[in-house]
Each structure stands twice: as C-alpha cells, then as structure tokens.
Amino acid sequence: MKIARFSRIGFILAAAGSAVGLGNIWKFPYITGEYGGGAFVLVYLITVALIGFSIMIAEMFIGYKGRKDTVTSFEELAPTKKHLWKYAGFQSVAGLLIMTFYSVVIGWILNYIVTSLSHLPASVKEAETTFTTMLHSGFWTQFFYHSVAFVIVTYIISRGIKGGIEKLNDYLMPSLIIILTGMFLYALSLDSFGKAFSFMFAPDWSKLNSEAFVTAVGHAFFTLSLGMGAIMTYAASMPKESNIVHSALWVVFLDTAIALVAGLMLFTFLYQYGSGPDKGPGLVFISLPAAFYEMGALGNFFAVIFFIALAFAGLTSAVSLVEPMVQYMIDRFRLSRIKAALSMGLFFYIIGIFVILSGLDGTKEYLTWGGKNLFDWIDFLTAAVMLPLGGLVMSIFVGYVVPKSEAEATLKPYLKSYFEIWYFSLRYIAPIALFIVILNLIGIM
Ligand code: PHE
C-alpha cells in the first residue's frame, strides 16, 4: 500500500493548524484576563521558548523516525524495554478526551455564526443572558451543533491525511490568517490599543500565584499541541526531505504570533466598547458580541467573520486531536480508515453529550464533583496534568533512552551547533521545569 504523505508546506500548515486553535483565540485571552495579564503572558512565552520549542522538535523527531502511530513509534525507537515504552504512546488518549469538550465549544461557535448574522446583543447583560441560557438550558441547540462538529471532523478524518487533513488546512489556515490580520489592523486604529498592549505586556507580579504558573505552563503545551502525539502523528507523514527544525520554528512562530494578535485585538475591542478583560470562558461569547454591537453595522460583519475564523481554527485542531487514535486503530487493529474514524468519533461524540449535560440545569448536579463539572475536570486533567506529563515522558525518552547518536544523525544537519543546547534543554531544563509543575499541581489539588 502506498502511504500518503503531506507535502512539505502541507505538513507545516497542518501542524500549525493543529497548534492554532481555540486555545489561541478563545482560551488564551480569557485565562490571560483571569490571571491578570503581563506576568502570566511572560511565563507562557518563556515556557514556549525554553521548553515548548525543544519538545516540539523531540516530538517531531519521534514521529519522523517512527513513521507510525504513536504507540508503534515509541515501541520502534526504544532500544530496549519496547514492551514498556509502547505505553507512552497511549498519551494520545488525551486528544480524544480534549475533543469531548472541544467539539462542544466548536458547536457554540457554529451557533454564534448563525445567530450573529441577524442579531447582536445590545448590552453585556443581554449577551450574558443569551450565553448562559444556552449553557444552562439549551440542550438541543448544543446537541445539534455538537453533532454538526462531529460529522465534519469525522468526515475529514475519514478522507485521510492527504485528501482530508492536508486539504482542510490548505484552505482554512490562509483564510484564518487573512481574517485575523484584517481585524487586527482595524484594532490598531482604535484608541484603546495602547491600553490592551500594556495589559498584555506590563507584568504585575503580584498576580502570579502557583495556580497561574501551572496554568501558564499547561497552556503552553495545550496551545502548541504538545504532549499527546498530535504533532508526532503528523510528523509520521512528513516528507523525508522536510527540515524538522524549520518546520518546528514555523509552527511555534505562527502559534505564538496568532495568540498575541488575537489577544491584543480582543482586549482592544473590549476596552474600546466598554467592558473589561476578566470575563472567564464566556469572554468571546459575552463581552465580545456586546462590543461588536457597539460598532454598529460593521459589528455584525465583524462578529460573523470572527466566529468563522474561530470555527476554522477549531476544526483544524480538532482533526489533529482525533487523528492519533485513528492512526493507532488503523496500524494496530487493521481497521479501515472509515471504521477507525467513526469509532473514535463516536467516542468523543458520546462523552461530549455528557459534557453538555454537565452544564445544564437539572443534570449538572450529577456531573459536578468538588466544585468542578465534567467539562472543567476534563479541561483541567488534560491541559494541566496529561499534556505536561506527556511532555515529560517525551523529553526523557529522547533525552535519555534513545541513543544520542540517533538524534544527532537526524537533527544535527539542521540544528548544527545548536544541537547541544537543544539536547541540554531536553535532558535538564524541560524535565526539571515539568517536574516542578507537577509538584505544584499536587499542591493545588
Ligand atoms: N493546540 C490546540 C489549541 O490551541 C489544541 C490541541 C491540543 C490540539 C493538543 C491538538 C493537541 O486549541
């Protein structure tokens, strides 16, 4: 069987498509708002540069060498104890778990595209009522759009790497970049841009407690799609002549740039049109539509294209959350791609329904433990626990288990004299930092 591979640029777009997602445009602005801005942003940026980038290269390396699903790639690369190392590949389950709420949020976005066409809330109060009504009693709306997201994602994955995932990213990523750039330029022209800029870049250290620290590191992994095998699985279909280091640089650059641009743009709109940055997960669904309303006629147009851009970002990430387990089913259980896509799709689809129920009046009591509902628990366990843990395992695997000569043979031609710095960061900086994060987590829990 001929294996379909990405083209070189196709791989970069797909990996960037995976990285740039709801994490950048929905989550990053609201957690930045919650944790007070500058200091939080700084910890996130330092983590991306010092740890994220090295682990991105390590993850691409495992996939590129292994050429298979995550479980098989770990098994193949491990020099000894293969039967144990293969379990590291099961970090991909985190992707399906993330997808249970990711799909629900994509559903909210699809709903907002449709409603923003004709109506925007006239005040933050009205916007809040609309959003919480959907969350607390809009079962059928959420169910319908969650189903639409399930159908789109499953269909694209069933079309394969080349005809599904690469094509999707070829269209959606450039469109996303064009929309965001256009809106950002408009934000630049508004008076409040300066205020948004200082909120995001002037660090207020008093706000940085250990929870903020853990969240910032966890978010760096989440936003770069690290620690669960998405990048690894894509890298398994990377063309042989690809430059791993260049590709990793592009992905990290695009992801960071888009998060900063989205954050600056949103905060500018929020300050300009009368509300603050600390609105939690409802930020883009509550404060933003109310801000768009204040813009007048342009507002409807902006709202619709903004939610379209957000849906694009979400969908290109969603396929990468599910693809690793699909690839695993194909490689290890010889399932056809269609069957694999459908069975993994049904997994997140069904649990996603419980995620919806965990926000609804009447059922949420049964799906809430210790102050967090199912939605919050899955978000917390995946982003703050599983992804950093997956990253730790990968840094140990490439830093200590795989012979250095193998990493050198593949990466030195690209990293040149930086090879030793990368290797050092993988062996010492990343594991120590991740270990501290995990200790902190235990403290928080
Ligand atoms: N990086 C994606 C985002 O920012 C989410 C994601 C996490 C995708 C892990 C794949 C793997 O939204």
Side-chain angles (χ1 to χ4, degrees):
M1 194 176 73
K2 195 178 166 310
I3 299 172
R5 296 229 168 102
F6 287 116
S7 68
R8 255 193 305 183
I9 172 91
F11 170 75
I12 294 175
L13 277 181
S18 167
V20 176
L22 304 182
N24 303 59
I25 311 176
W26 163 68
K27 207 170 172 194
F28 174 67
Y30 90 70
I31 54 181
T32 300
E34 280 184 332
Y35 291 108
F40 178 85
V41 175
L42 202 64
V43 174
Y44 150 78
L45 287 177
I46 291 174
T47 311
V48 167
L50 244 48
I51 309 177
F53 182 53
S54 318
I55 294 194
M56 174 78 67
I57 294 179
E59 198 173 330
M60 282 188 184
F61 166 75
I62 302 173
Y64 179 83
K65 290 289 284 185
R67 296 267 132 200
K68 283 277 189 328
D69 66 283
T70 49
V71 174
T72 316
S73 290
F74 270 103
E75 192 176 52
E76 235 145 67
L77 252 67
T80 55
K81 300 218 180 62
K82 288 180 184 292
H83 59 293
L84 288 180
W85 273 108
K86 77 173 187 198
Y87 289 103
F90 285 105
Q91 54 180 271
S92 297
V93 173
L96 285 184
L97 291 177
I98 293 174
M99 193 54 192
T100 61
F101 70 83
Y102 214 82
S103 169
V104 172
V105 178
I106 293 179
W108 299 347
I109 295 163
L110 297 177
N111 179 27
Y112 270 69
I113 296 177
V114 175
T115 56
S116 307
L117 278 171
S118 56
H119 180 79
L120 286 176
S123 63
V124 174
K125 191 102 209 75
E126 187 192 333
E128 197 160 354
T129 313
T130 311
F131 182 68
T132 48
T133 308
M134 176 185 78
L135 211 61
H136 298 318
S137 53
F139 175 76
W140 291 109
T141 309
Q142 293 188 74
F143 175 73
F144 174 74
Y145 286 107
H146 169 55
S147 308
V148 174
F150 155 73
V151 171
I152 299 176
V153 169
T154 308
Y155 172 74
I156 305 264
I157 293 180
S158 75
R159 307 284 304 164
I161 287 278
K162 197 95 196 143
I165 294 175
E166 177 162 346
K167 258 222 185 99
L168 177 84
N169 282 289
D170 280 352
Y171 289 109
L172 299 199
M173 284 306 285
S175 321
L176 168 71
I177 292 173
I178 293 170
I179 295 176
L180 286 181
T181 310
M183 291 181 73
F184 179 70
L185 291 179
Y186 178 75
L188 258 181
S189 74
L190 298 175
D191 299 336
S192 300
F193 185 81
K195 204 166 162 196
F197 192 87
S198 47
F199 175 71
M200 270 186 61
F201 296 111
D204 173 359
W205 296 108
S206 65
K207 294 259 175 62
L208 200 72
N209 53 21
S210 66
E211 189 179 327
F213 175 76
V214 168
T215 309
V217 177
H219 183 69
F221 275 81
F222 184 85
T223 188
L224 290 173
S225 299
L226 293 177
M228 52 76 45
I231 297 294
M232 194 187 295
T233 304
Y234 279 4
S237 300
M238 201 175 191
K240 274 276 177 245
E241 68 280 10
S242 272
N243 179 330
I244 296 186
V245 177
H246 259 166
S247 309
L249 262 177
W250 266 111
V251 175
V252 172
F253 166 74
L254 282 171
D255 188 72
T256 311
I258 291 183
L260 296 179
V261 161
L264 282 171
M265 171 185 99
L266 290 183
F267 293 133
T268 305
F269 289 158
L270 295 181
Y271 282 127
Q272 185 82 16
Y273 297 105
S275 72
D278 48 352
K279 285 293 180 303
L283 185 82
V284 303
F285 298 105
I286 299 172
S287 323
L288 196 64
F292 283 138
Y293 174 85
E294 296 295 324
M295 281 181 194
L298 191 61
N300 272 78
F301 173 70
F302 266 12
V304 172
I305 61 165
F306 172 77
F307 285 115
I308 288 180
L310 195 52
F312 284 3
L315 287 170
T316 53
S317 299
V319 292
S320 78
L321 285 163
V322 186
E323 174 66 15
M325 284 308 285
V326 168
Q327 196 65 54
Y328 168 72
M329 286 296 169
I330 296 174
D331 286 349
R332 302 292 282 227
F333 293 94
R334 302 266 156 244
L335 284 194
S336 68
R337 185 164 261 283
I338 296 188
K339 278 199 186 129
L342 204 61
S343 51
M344 296 301 100
L346 282 173
F347 178 89
F348 80 71
Y349 180 59
I350 292 168
I351 301 186
I353 295 173
F354 287 94
V355 168
I356 298 176
L357 291 174
S358 79
L360 287 179
D361 292 334
T363 44
K364 67 167 173 255
E365 300 80 71
Y366 304 105
L367 292 161
T368 302
W369 307 272
K372 279 189 172 45
N373 68 5
L374 184 65
F375 186 136
D376 299 334
W377 270 114
I378 298 182
D379 181 13
F380 176 74
L381 286 177
T382 50
V385 184
M386 294 172 87
L387 301 186
L389 213 59
L392 181 63
V393 168
M394 273 190 266
S395 62
I396 292 173
F397 185 68
V398 178
Y400 295 91
V401 178
V402 175
K404 185 176 180 186
S405 57
E406 258 184 62
E408 234 169 350
T410 309
L411 295 172
K412 195 133 189 200
Y414 305 124
L415 279 166
K416 310 226 163 62
S417 52
Y418 293 109
F419 179 85
E420 291 302 332
I421 301 180
W422 168 75
Y423 204 63
F424 180 85
S425 123
L426 210 60
R427 280 170 74 93
Y428 302 105
I429 303 178
I432 292 172
L434 290 171
F435 193 66
I436 296 176
V437 169
I438 288 163
L439 282 184
N440 258 304
L441 257 177
I442 296 169
I444 291 174
M445 287 202 292

